[in-house]
Amino acid sequence: MIAIKKILCSLPALVAAIGPLSAQLYHPGERLEYRVSYKAKMFPNTEVGTVDVTTERATVDGRTVYKVVGTGRTLPTYRWFFNMLDVYTVLIDTAALRPVTFDSDLRESDYTFRSHYDYDWANNRVSTRWRSRQNPEKEKQMDLTPESMDAISLFFTLRSAQAEDFKEGVPAQLRMVLQDTIRHIHYRYLGREVKKIRNMGRFRTLRFECELGSSEGFSFTDGTIFTIWISDDRNKIPLYIESPVRIGSIQAYISGYKGLKYPLESKIR
C-alpha cells in the first residue's frame, strides 16, 4: 500500500516538467481521477487505490483563491490491511498564480502526519511546520526560488508550454519544497508516443523520464526514477505514470476527468 502514497506525492512533482511558470493552469471545476496498481512477477496487475485531484474557486479570509485538493485512498478491499486516507490542500493566489498555503493531512493505519506551509514570495521565503502523532511539532524557514513549490502546486505548474518548446534528451531541473528540505527534480523529455490507457483508449502523449533526488542538493544516487506520459494537447494532464519498486512496479493511470479547460484532443477516436 506504500505505492499509493508514493504516487500521490510524486505525481505532482513530475508534472512540473512541462512549461513556463507564468502559465499555470488552474480551472475551477476540473477533476482528475486516477487508479493506482501494483505489478510483480508473482502477482497480476492489481488495483490497490485511487487518487483524485480537484480544483475550485474559494474565498478564504476575504481573499479569492483557487483551492486544489489531492486525495489518495486505498480501495475498500484492502482497507482491512492498510487503511490510508491522505489529503493535500493548496490555496493559490488567483492574480499572482503562486501558492499561498499548503496543508497535508495523512492518515495511514496507526500513523498520522500533518504539515503546513506559509509562502512569503515578497521575501522569497517559506515557513513550514509539521508533526506526527509520535513526535512534537517542528518548524523551519527556507529560501525560495521561482521554481520552488510544494508538490501539489508543481502539479499545476508549467502546463501550457508547447511540445515544440521541449528539447528531446536535454536534462533540466526543478525544486520541490518538503517539510525541512528542498528536493531537486531532474527530468528529460523523451519525445512523442501513442499510449494505450486501460479502459480509456489510446492517446497521443509526451513522454518524460524524471528523477527525484533523495535529499537537498544534487544527490540522486538513491533517488527515485519515474516515467510519465502527458496528454499532447493544451490541457497537459498526466495520463500514466510508472515507477519501479524493490519488487515489481507501480502505475497510476487516468480513469476519469471532468471540467477540463480545453477539449482532450490527444485522445485518438
Side-chain angles (χ1 to χ4, degrees), residues 225-265:
I225 296 177
F226 302 83
T227 305
I228 182 168
W229 289 259
I230 307 295
S231 66
D232 189 3
D233 54 35
R234 288 175 292 175
N235 294 293
K236 297 293 189 302
I237 61 174
L239 295 172
Y240 193 93
I241 295 174
E242 185 170 23
S243 175
V245 291
R246 183 171 299 178
I247 301 176
S249 63
I250 53 176
Q251 301 84 34
Y253 59 90
I254 194 83
S255 60
Y257 52 86
K258 300 176 183 177
L260 298 180
K261 187 173 183 178
Y262 304 107
L264 196 63
E265 297 169 344

Side-chain angles (χ1 to χ4, degrees), residues 191-203:
R192 284 186 161 100
E193 181 178 315
V194 173
K195 183 72 173 174
K196 185 176 181 180
I197 309 295
R198 185 190 306 181
N199 300 324
M200 296 296 289
R202 296 165 66 238
F203 294 83

Side-chain angles (χ1 to χ4, degrees), residues 73-263:
R73 187 81 196 260
T74 44
L75 292 173
T77 307
Y78 298 98
R79 288 176 193 166
W80 67 271
F81 172 67
F82 187 82
N83 188 9
M84 189 200 81
L85 176 59
D86 288 356
V87 181
Y88 301 81
T89 305
V90 62
L91 303 183
I92 306 293
D93 185 292
T94 57
L97 294 179
R98 290 200 176 277
V100 178
T101 63
F102 168 86
D103 289 277
S104 69
D105 186 356
L106 314 183
R107 301 175 184 273
E108 302 168 3
S109 294
D110 294 332
Y111 173 80
T112 61
F113 180 88
R114 292 185 178 182
S115 64
H116 177 85
Y117 307 169
D118 284 307
Y119 290 92
D120 179 3
W121 291 105
N123 296 299
N124 293 319
R125 300 279 289 173
V126 61
S127 299
T128 65
R129 62 178 187 268
W130 67 96
R131 67 168 300 167
S132 63
R133 188 178 67 178
Q134 297 83 356
N135 297 293
E137 184 173 84
K138 298 181 180 180
E139 298 182 0
K140 188 172 182 178
Q141 284 197 342
M142 294 179 287
D143 293 329
L144 289 173
T145 68
E147 297 82 14
S148 304
M149 295 183 189
D150 59 84
I152 295 295
S153 298
L154 285 177
F155 185 92
F156 287 86
T157 301
L158 320 170
R159 284 181 63 179
S160 298
Q162 301 299 314
E164 290 71 22
D165 297 335
F166 308 142
K167 296 181 180 180
E168 190 168 339
V170 177
Q173 179 177 287
L174 288 172
R175 295 168 21 122
M176 183 172 68
V177 177
L178 292 177
Q179 289 82 250
D180 60 348
T181 189
I182 304 290
R183 292 281 185 95
H184 289 83
I185 305 166
H186 283 177
Y187 66 88
R188 292 186 303 133
Y189 171 54
L190 302 181
R192 284 186 161 100
E193 181 178 315
V194 173
K195 183 72 173 174
K196 185 176 181 180
I197 309 295
R198 185 190 306 181
N199 300 324
M200 296 296 289
R202 296 165 66 238
F203 294 83
R204 287 181 288 271
T205 70
L206 308 174
R207 183 181 178 185
F208 293 85
E209 181 181 79
C210 309
E211 186 173 10
L212 181 63
S214 59
S215 61
E216 187 170 2
F218 297 88
S219 174
F220 288 84
T221 56
D222 57 347
T224 302
I225 296 177
F226 302 83
T227 305
I228 182 168
W229 289 259
I230 307 295
S231 66
D232 189 3
D233 54 35
R234 288 175 292 175
N235 294 293
K236 297 293 189 302
I237 61 174
L239 295 172
Y240 193 93
I241 295 174
E242 185 170 23
S243 175
V245 291
R246 183 171 299 178
I247 301 176
S249 63
I250 53 176
Q251 301 84 34
Y253 59 90
I254 194 83
S255 60
Y257 52 86
K258 300 176 183 177
L260 298 180
K261 187 173 183 178
Y262 304 107

Side-chain angles (χ1 to χ4, degrees), residues 27 29-32 52-56 67-71 156:
H27 187 57
E30 181 184 81
R31 180 182 181 121
L32 305 176
D52 293 337
V53 182
T54 62
T55 304
E56 64 179 19
K67 181 179 180 181
V68 181
V69 180
T71 305
F156 287 86

